[in-house]
């Protein structure tokens, strides 16, 4: 059975809702999911997983959330060794830096030798059916990469 790490940050609760939805979707497809907040996670454990999905909000002026800062900084010293990954996040288009933390995580994981298997997904405010369809598509690409 494949094992996927799904790490998230959530301030308003929207990213947590999407993360739990995504974890359930993946589990229904027969994979083991380790769901954890990034503040409690260790980036050095990521190469142990078959795939990694990171979900984050963007803080203030396009910044990585404070509770994910240590995890993000540790990624600079982790060799993901071609670990398959995808990144998504809920943000707000009313901010000039909509979803920038998603971009930062995507770039850092690529720089850490990861293998991006799905386009990053940015969700505006509250996820709707179209957003969940894009989340499912991201998950399906991750699952397909494991076969």
């Amino acid at each position: 059975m494949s094992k996927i790490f799904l790490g998230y940050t959530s301030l308003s609760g929207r990213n947590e809702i999407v993360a739990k939805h995504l974890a359930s979707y993946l589990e229904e497809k027969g994979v083991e999911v380790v769901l954890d907040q990034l503040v409690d996670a260790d980036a050095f454990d990521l190469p142990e997983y078959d795939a990694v999905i990171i979900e984050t909000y963007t803080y203030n002026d396009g910044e990585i959330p404070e509770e994910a800062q240590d995890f993000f900084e540790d990624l600079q010293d982790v060799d993901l060794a071609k670990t398959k990954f995808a990144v998504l996040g809920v943000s707000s288009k009313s901010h000039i830096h909509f979803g920038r933390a998603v971009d930062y995580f995507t770039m850092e994981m690529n720089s850490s030798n990861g293998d991006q298997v799905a386009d990053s997904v940015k969700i505006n405010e509250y996820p709707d059916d179209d957003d969940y369809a894009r989340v499912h598509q991201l998950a399906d690409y991750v699952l397909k990469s494991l076969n």
Side-chain angles (χ1 to χ4, degrees), residues 3-29:
K3 190 173 181 180
I4 297 175
F5 174 79
L6 174 50
Y8 72 95
T9 60
S10 189
L11 182 64
S12 66
R14 294 179 298 217
N15 278 293
E16 182 176 10
I17 290 167
V18 173
K20 288 180 177 178
H21 175 89
L22 179 55
S24 293
Y25 181 83
L26 290 164
E27 288 168 345
E28 289 172 7
K29 302 288 184 178

Side-chain angles (χ1 to χ4, degrees), residues 97-134:
H97 304 294
F98 172 66
R100 185 166 285 172
V102 170
D103 298 333
Y104 288 149
F105 267 102
T106 301
M107 288 185 287
E108 190 57 51
M109 293 182 78
N110 274 306
S111 294
S112 297
N113 205 25
D115 180 15
Q116 185 175 357
V117 297
D119 289 339
S120 298
V121 171
K122 296 178 185 179
I123 298 169
N124 182 43
E125 297 285 339
Y126 297 93
D128 60 21
D129 289 342
D130 289 338
D131 294 319
Y132 281 118
R134 293 186 306 130

Side-chain angles (χ1 to χ4, degrees), residues 58-63 91-101 103-104 122 124-125:
T58 299
Y59 186 69
N60 203 19
D61 287 327
E63 300 162 19
S91 188
S92 174
K93 286 187 178 178
S94 66
H95 295 253
I96 190 169
H97 304 294
F98 172 66
R100 185 166 285 172
D103 298 333
Y104 288 149
K122 296 178 185 179
N124 182 43
E125 297 285 339

